[in-house]
């Protein structure tokens, strides 16, 4: 059996206190972005403005991840 296992060069790290996600490539930060917890399934995902459900007066009241929209 000789052969190497393929290992991803990318790792995503999420700080649940700040809700900031960081994408690391070989240990170096290549992207940093805001995270949010879905109000339907509770999964933490990268925030996008399309997920906001708006109430009266266009107030942003809840947020859904891409899978729940």
């Amino acid at each position: 059996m000789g052969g190497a296992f393929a290992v991803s060069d990318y790792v995503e790290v999420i700080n649940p206190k700040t809700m900031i996600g960081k994408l690391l490539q070989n240990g170096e930060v290549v992207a940093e972005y805001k995270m949010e917890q879905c109000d339907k399934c509770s999964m933490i995902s990268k925030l996008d403005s399309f997920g906001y459900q708006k109430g009266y007066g266009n107030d942003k009241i809840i947020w859904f991840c891409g899978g729940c929209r």
Side-chain angles (χ1 to χ4, degrees):
M1 298 243 168
F5 290 99
V7 177
S8 175
D9 292 333
Y10 292 94
V11 175
E12 183 179 47
V13 178
I14 302 169
N15 182 328
K17 288 185 180 183
T18 63
M19 294 301 278
I20 298 292
K22 293 182 182 184
L23 183 63
L24 308 174
Q25 181 182 25
N26 297 321
E28 293 187 34
V29 177
V30 293
E32 189 171 301
Y33 37 86
K34 179 80 178 121
M35 305 293 288
E36 188 60 69
Q37 185 171 10
C38 178
D39 288 313
K40 186 172 184 180
C41 72
S42 298
M43 186 168 81
I44 295 175
S45 303
K46 185 176 178 182
L47 177 68
D48 64 21
S49 60
F50 298 111
Y52 280 114
Q53 308 301 308
K54 296 180 181 176
Y56 183 74
N58 279 339
D59 292 334
K60 298 173 184 174
I61 53 174
I62 57 176
W63 184 81
F64 292 155
C65 68
C68 290
R69 283 185 236 145

